[in-house]
Amino acid sequence: MHSFTPDDVPDLTGRRAIVTGANSGIGLRAAVALARKGAHVVLACRDAGRGAEAEQHVRSLSGSSAVELRLLDLASLASIRQFAAGWEHPLDLLINNAGVMAPPRRVLTEDGFESQFGINHLGHFALTGLLLGQLRAAGDSRVVTVSSLAHKRGRLNFADLQSARAYRPWAAYGQSKAANLYFTIELDRRARAAGWQLTATAAHPGLARTNLVRNRQAGPVLDLLGGFLGVLSQSDEAGALPVLYAATAPDVEGGDYYGPDGPGETRGNVRLVAPSPRVLDPEPAARLWERSVELTGVDYRALEPRT
């Protein structure tokens, strides 16, 4: 795969895109690149003030006026439902990017979910499900979900998905990022079975210098990691490239997973990477899917296989 840059993003005139967590980091960089290529980009952000600043930033850097802010709190099913109910157009691209990483104690969402599982997985699961009709209306749409290198150590603990019995920040983070990939692969499988022109893919940014990584509230592990960022990591601009490739490249196929090609996938050019074999197992994927439907109340029956 050649060295992919934002200039390689194809013309997106007339296409509509939603980027969650677009106020900083990977989401912000992706939004700029999409807007620069003509897409109508919606920044789905939790904080109105930071979101407004991001909107102006994207408009300035992209030279596009087709950029808007819509408030979305992925820690609230009510907010997710309100956001989806307000979307009236066909949707060509949904980038599930927003997330939290390893908070030092068990933090709950508005609906009582452990925050990492609730925001990183359940929030995006619910958002995607509620936008299925708009994604289908676009004809040839994509859903890109941002995972992490941490998925390789992540395991689904069905006996304690919410970490209620025992909360270990990094274990919960790894579980949520593994869930992102189980979701992507299962969504792609169900979309194919239903005969939809919907491509579900995933990407990870390597070790990118974003606000997520710089957040010292994530504890001493990241404090220690911070000293190595200059050697191991890459900029958030570079970290956004696998996401942009998954979102726009013409050769992308459903279930693909993209990341950097450098040592340990921490940095480098974009390439197709291999997820942990664990997330390719259809049994836990289906089990997680059904559990996610139960927890969120979001109905995916439109994607049931045709009889």
Side-chain angles (χ1 to χ4, degrees), residues 101-102 169-170 213 215-228:
M101 181 169 65
W170 287 104
V213 173
N215 177 12
R216 288 300 188 264
Q217 290 185 347
V221 173
L222 283 188
D223 285 336
L224 178 62
L225 184 60
F228 296 96

Side-chain angles (χ1 to χ4, degrees), residues 66-154:
V67 180
E68 62 173 300
L69 168 67
R70 296 196 185 190
L71 296 182
L72 170 66
D73 184 357
L74 287 162
S76 165
L77 288 174
S79 175
I80 295 168
R81 289 184 180 279
Q82 182 177 21
F83 179 93
W87 187 267
E88 300 175 348
H89 308 283
L91 177 60
D92 300 281
L93 173 62
L94 172 62
I95 298 182
N96 292 324
N97 163 75
V100 293
M101 181 169 65
R105 59 186 176 83
R106 185 167 176 267
V107 180
L108 302 182
T109 70
E110 178 179 287
D111 303 284
F113 305 136
E114 186 276 316
S115 62
Q116 295 179 94
F117 187 73
I119 294 170
N120 299 354
H121 169 60
L122 291 177
H124 285 122
F125 179 91
L127 178 66
T128 305
L130 291 168
L131 291 171
L132 274 181
Q134 292 87 338
L135 287 162
R136 187 180 190 184
D140 184 14
S141 57
R142 289 192 195 184
V143 176
V144 181
T145 301
V146 180
S147 185
S148 164
L149 285 168
H151 92 273
K152 295 183 178 182
R153 297 182 65 85

Side-chain angles (χ1 to χ4, degrees), residues 50-289:
R50 294 178 64 193
E53 291 178 4
E55 180 183 9
Q56 293 305 312
H57 189 67
V58 174
R59 286 173 178 263
S60 175
L61 289 181
S62 68
S64 172
S65 60
V67 180
E68 62 173 300
L69 168 67
R70 296 196 185 190
L71 296 182
L72 170 66
D73 184 357
L74 287 162
S76 165
L77 288 174
S79 175
I80 295 168
R81 289 184 180 279
Q82 182 177 21
F83 179 93
W87 187 267
E88 300 175 348
H89 308 283
L91 177 60
D92 300 281
L93 173 62
L94 172 62
I95 298 182
N96 292 324
N97 163 75
V100 293
M101 181 169 65
R105 59 186 176 83
R106 185 167 176 267
V107 180
L108 302 182
T109 70
E110 178 179 287
D111 303 284
F113 305 136
E114 186 276 316
S115 62
Q116 295 179 94
F117 187 73
I119 294 170
N120 299 354
H121 169 60
L122 291 177
H124 285 122
F125 179 91
L127 178 66
T128 305
L130 291 168
L131 291 171
L132 274 181
Q134 292 87 338
L135 287 162
R136 187 180 190 184
D140 184 14
S141 57
R142 289 192 195 184
V143 176
V144 181
T145 301
V146 180
S147 185
S148 164
L149 285 168
H151 92 273
K152 295 183 178 182
R153 297 182 65 85
R155 285 169 171 76
L156 297 177
N157 181 2
F158 285 106
D160 192 22
L161 282 174
Q162 305 297 334
S163 303
R165 299 177 186 173
Y167 177 66
R168 293 181 294 147
W170 287 104
Y173 181 66
Q175 175 181 248
S176 74
K177 293 288 101 179
N180 289 153
L181 287 172
Y182 280 113
F183 167 61
T184 294
I185 294 167
E186 184 69 2
L187 175 61
D188 178 69
R189 186 190 70 78
R190 291 180 181 238
R192 287 172 185 262
W196 285 27
Q197 289 183 292
L198 186 156
T199 301
T201 71
H204 78 84
L207 185 57
R209 295 185 293 274
T210 67
N211 286 344
L212 198 63
V213 173
R214 288 190 292 261
N215 177 12
R216 288 300 188 264
Q217 290 185 347
V221 173
L222 283 188
D223 285 336
L224 178 62
L225 184 60
F228 296 96
L229 284 180
V231 177
L232 298 176
S233 68
Q234 59 184 358
S235 66
D236 54 4
E237 294 97 331
L241 294 177
V243 177
L244 286 168
Y245 194 96
T248 67
D251 61 342
V252 170
E253 297 184 356
D256 281 355
Y257 183 43
Y258 294 92
D261 66 356
E265 299 176 23
T266 58
R267 65 187 186 278
N269 295 324
V270 180
R271 72 175 175 93
L272 188 66
V273 296
S276 167
R278 189 182 307 111
V279 304
L280 303 177
D281 187 341
E283 189 279 328
R287 188 177 177 187
L288 175 65
W289 186 280

